[in-house]
Amino acid sequence: MKALLLAVLLLFIPSLAAAEISVEDAWVRMPPPVADTAAGYLTLKNSGEKDVEVVAVESSAAAKPEFHSMSMHDGMMHMMKMDKVVVPAHGELRFETGGNHLMLTELTGTLNAGDHVMMTITFSDGSSVMVHAEVRDMRSQDSGGYDDHGGSHGEHHGH
């Protein structure tokens, strides 16, 4: 009986040490009909004691999902793949319209308003978060453009 109790406790110890990552406000902008990319937005929150780096993002909706930064150079806005994405300890990292965002490149199908994009974000501590992002048609709320390309919840899964 003691051996069983010890085995059960050992299963939970690694998850107690892992950062607690959660996702809020994840959504994807419905792309124009001819586009093969879409932008996603979300907030990653880390309630743990250590910074945690994103090491992978996967989705069946896109062949190459990746985080991108936006910056101004010589009066022009430029987008670049982020080399390092770190969620600070006891902090958050926001990906918002007009700024840093999740780029879904090489879409595998059409994304329509009301659809849900499923993603898995994996972190350096071995944990992962499953993300359900609703596709939203923002054309009626925008000025008609897709200048930054373009309700949810996340569940934490430690490994």
Side-chain angles (χ1 to χ4, degrees), residues 47-82:
S47 62
E49 299 293 325
K50 295 182 179 180
D51 294 354
V52 178
E53 183 177 355
V54 173
V55 295
V57 57
E58 299 173 327
S59 175
S60 61
K64 293 186 343 185
E66 50 193 30
F67 289 99
H68 284 193
S69 64
M70 300 290 287
S71 60
M72 187 69 78
H73 294 289
D74 298 326
M76 300 273 301
M77 188 62 80
H78 295 274
M79 177 181 69
M80 292 179 46
K81 179 181 176 185
M82 295 174 74

Side-chain angles (χ1 to χ4, degrees), residues 10-28:
L10 288 176
L11 286 175
F12 289 104
I13 288 172
S15 64
L16 295 175
E20 291 297 323
I21 303 293
S22 61
V23 177
E24 294 182 357
D25 304 322
W27 63 282
V28 172

